[in-house]
Amino acid sequence: PARPDMLAVPDPDAVIQLPWNKEIAWVPGNCVMEGEDVAQAPRNVLRRLIKEAADEGLHVKTGIEAEFFLLTPDGEEISDPFDNAEKPCYDQQAMMRRLDVIREISDYMLELGWGAYQNDHEDANGQWEMNWDFDDALATADKHSFFKFMAKSVAEKHGFRATFMPKPVEGLTGNGCHAHISVWDAPGADSRTNVFAAEKGAGDIAELGLSEQGGWFLGGIMKHASALAAITNPTVNSYKRINAPRTMSGATWAPNTVTWSGNNRT
């Protein structure tokens, strides 16, 4: 009661027409108070950082790997009682039993022009991952928010509940969200050069095809990893993945050390 109203001002450039209900549009907004952008609002923070990077000739592109569980409507159990293998990752039978849900979400992404290219049954029973093409950072962030809304809406239509909660089921692998980050010479379709990429050469970084600038970025991630946890692990449930007991499949897929490597997931 001591503060004025906060308004969400729609961003018309980011409007998405619901593929399953053409009369409705989903529109992200920028939080405004007393005529000024709310400095702490995540979308405003990202917009500000995008501008700062652009002023230095840097254009960040991101891709994400969204993971979620399909549960019963009350959220108490996974939706498919037959999805009970010890190591169910890529289980084609489980995929077929939930194909209607996964296919519908994927078809909507294709209709929206996202470039959906891969869907799979993930490491845990009842868990799925769906991927689409990377894009400018703000566009990917908006798509990610909409994807969660879309997945939940389609799941409800089929009588299930979709959850992106980091650790919804004790004893099973949690939901992660891998982020793929690159910096380019221009935004959108005008980009031609990934400045993080380089010809493979000698040295720990160069042998991976990572440029010196890419190495500095990686170093920055490591330097600030502990502080970044406040953003990447924003809820109590997030920390139930870290140092969690071994799951049924044998892995939690949640790193607990600040390290880097070419392909070491531990």
Side-chain angles (χ1 to χ4, degrees), residues 25 71 142 248 256:
L71 305 176
D142 287 339
M248 282 179 57
N256 55 21

Side-chain angles (χ1 to χ4, degrees), residues 181-258:
I181 305 169
S182 54
V183 168
W184 296 72
D185 58 343
D190 294 330
S191 59
R192 294 292 180 269
T193 303
N194 177 359
V195 301
F196 282 179
E199 292 292 329
K200 290 191 176 184
D204 292 341
I205 291 176
E207 73 176 8
L208 298 174
L210 198 63
S211 69
E212 185 178 48
Q213 196 165 14
W216 290 337
F217 173 80
L218 184 58
I221 292 289
M222 295 180 69
K223 179 178 180 180
H224 298 287
S226 296
L228 282 169
I231 297 172
T232 58
N233 300 328
T235 70
V236 170
N237 190 269
S238 301
Y239 294 90
K240 293 180 180 179
R241 291 187 69 211
I242 301 175
N243 288 327
R246 292 178 70 85
T247 63
M248 282 179 57
S249 68
T252 64
W253 301 106
N256 55 21
T257 57
V258 179

Side-chain angles (χ1 to χ4, degrees), residues 35 51-52 69 103-104 123 161 164 195 222:
K51 184 180 184 307
E52 289 180 13
F69 278 82
R103 180 170 55 191
E104 185 170 343
D123 189 65
R161 174 184 288 191
F164 295 80
V195 301
M222 295 180 69

Side-chain angles (χ1 to χ4, degrees), residues 7 32 49 74 78 96-97 177 237 262:
L7 306 176
V32 173
L49 292 173
D74 59 9
I78 64 171
M96 294 305 296
R97 287 194 297 271
C177 183
N237 190 269

Side-chain angles (χ1 to χ4, degrees), residues 52-122:
E52 289 180 13
D55 290 342
E56 297 185 21
L58 305 175
H59 304 276
V60 181
K61 291 180 180 288
T62 55
I64 57 99
E65 301 178 22
E67 296 179 355
F68 61 95
F69 278 82
L70 287 176
L71 305 176
T72 54
D74 59 9
E76 293 296 319
E77 303 173 31
I78 64 171
S79 68
D80 182 0
F82 299 105
D83 188 353
N84 53 19
E86 279 191 23
K87 295 184 180 294
C89 200
Y90 311 126
D91 183 350
Q92 61 185 357
Q93 294 302 120
M95 168 69 83
M96 294 305 296
R97 287 194 297 271
R98 290 294 173 265
L99 184 62
D100 287 352
V101 179
I102 303 304
R103 180 170 55 191
E104 185 170 343
I105 298 171
S106 187
D107 284 347
Y108 289 154
M109 287 195 287
L110 291 171
E111 181 179 338
L112 291 168
W114 288 13
Y117 64 87
Q118 184 263 341
N119 310 305
D120 70 77
H121 187 297
E122 253 298 335

